[in-house]
Amino acid sequence: KRVFSRKRTLMKFPFDPSWTLFLDRDGVINKRIMGGYVSSPEEFHFEKGVPEAIAIFRKHFKYIVVITNQQCIAKNIVTIRNLREIHRYMQGKLLEQGSFVDAVYFASELASDPKNTRKPKPFLALEAKKDFPDIDFNKSLMVGDTDSDIQFGENLGMKTALIRTEEKTNRKADWQFDSLLDLALELKKKI
């Protein structure tokens, strides 16, 4: 009796250097403050292995784009200036390790705002495509730790990978990993 596995592996996935990697921030790149927000560079701490992971991704993806919902701005907890300082700090730390991300896009509105641009709406990806017109969403991988991250990727025709955290999720991603580094190491083996 033959048994066929339905499990999708990265080995069967045709990544090539024209692909774009979309990354969520909190819980994927940096430690999420559950019930709170990263409000200064001093509160920004990479998840284990993230600089190494992004260095690996740099060899396999044309663009690496961070997209993040940051309603802390609309709540007046963090200013846009503070958020940009946090992202400059993140980029600086990545550069120290020989890596970088191409751009960071954020949605600052409240989730309850009917005109918000937050994930899972496509606005942040469309902004990235304006800046990098050769991005092809069908040749993109969205990595996140929440249902809205996975739905965002699905809505745009991207492949999706879930980073398992304490965040409860219901959506099925194409792949699941315990960390961004685990995904990067698996990708490195397969390509």
Side-chain angles (χ1 to χ4, degrees):
K1 182 178 178 181
R2 293 179 73 182
V3 177
F4 294 95
S5 172
R6 292 178 166 234
K7 184 179 179 188
R8 292 183 249 180
T9 66
L10 289 174
M11 185 180 290
K12 295 180 181 179
F13 191 60
F15 286 105
D16 68 47
S18 68
W19 280 67
T20 299
L21 177 63
F22 285 87
L23 297 173
D24 175 50
R25 197 193 81 181
D26 299 317
V28 174
I29 292 175
N30 62 280
K31 295 186 183 300
R32 175 190 297 273
I33 298 175
M34 295 306 279
Y37 302 96
V38 174
S39 61
S40 69
E42 294 77 29
E43 294 178 346
F44 182 95
H45 303 287
F46 283 112
E47 290 284 354
K48 185 178 179 184
V50 165
E52 180 184 351
I54 292 178
I56 292 168
F57 293 140
R58 284 265 46 117
K59 297 174 184 172
H60 300 290
F61 290 92
K62 184 168 187 177
Y63 301 116
I64 300 175
V65 178
V66 176
I67 51 171
T68 180
N69 291 342
Q70 294 293 324
Q71 70 177 347
C72 54
I73 293 170
K75 290 182 175 182
N76 295 315
I77 296 169
V78 175
T79 66
I80 290 177
R81 182 178 178 177
N82 293 141
L83 186 63
R84 288 191 174 130
E85 287 172 1
I86 292 164
H87 292 155
R88 276 193 298 275
Y89 174 82
M90 175 186 76
Q91 277 285 52
K93 289 296 183 186
L94 290 173
L95 285 169
E96 286 175 13
Q97 309 243 352
S99 192
F100 64 95
V101 297
D102 294 287
V104 179
Y105 300 91
F106 60 90
S108 60
E109 308 88 6
L110 293 172
S112 59
D113 180 346
K115 295 182 179 178
N116 78 66
T117 60
R118 296 165 53 86
K119 295 173 286 177
K121 293 178 181 176
F123 180 83
L124 298 175
L126 298 174
E127 287 297 298
K129 188 161 177 61
K130 282 182 196 172
D131 292 337
F132 305 98
D134 53 336
I135 287 177
D136 179 348
F137 297 134
N138 291 313
K139 292 177 76 177
S140 295
L141 173 63
M142 173 63 205
V143 181
D145 67 329
T146 66
D147 284 337
S148 67
D149 295 327
I150 302 309
Q151 186 178 357
F152 171 86
E154 292 169 350
N155 289 347
L156 289 154
M158 299 177 185
K159 294 295 182 183
T160 58
L162 178 74
I163 302 301
R164 290 182 285 257
T165 64
E166 58 189 274
E167 181 81 24
K168 301 289 183 223
T169 58
N170 296 310
R171 297 192 83 83
K172 300 265 191 236
D174 292 300
W175 302 282
Q176 291 187 24
F177 294 92
D178 290 327
S179 71
L180 199 59
L181 182 59
D182 287 346
L183 168 57
L185 293 174
E186 184 69 15
L187 179 65
K188 188 177 177 181
K189 283 193 291 188
K190 304 300 184 191
I191 293 183

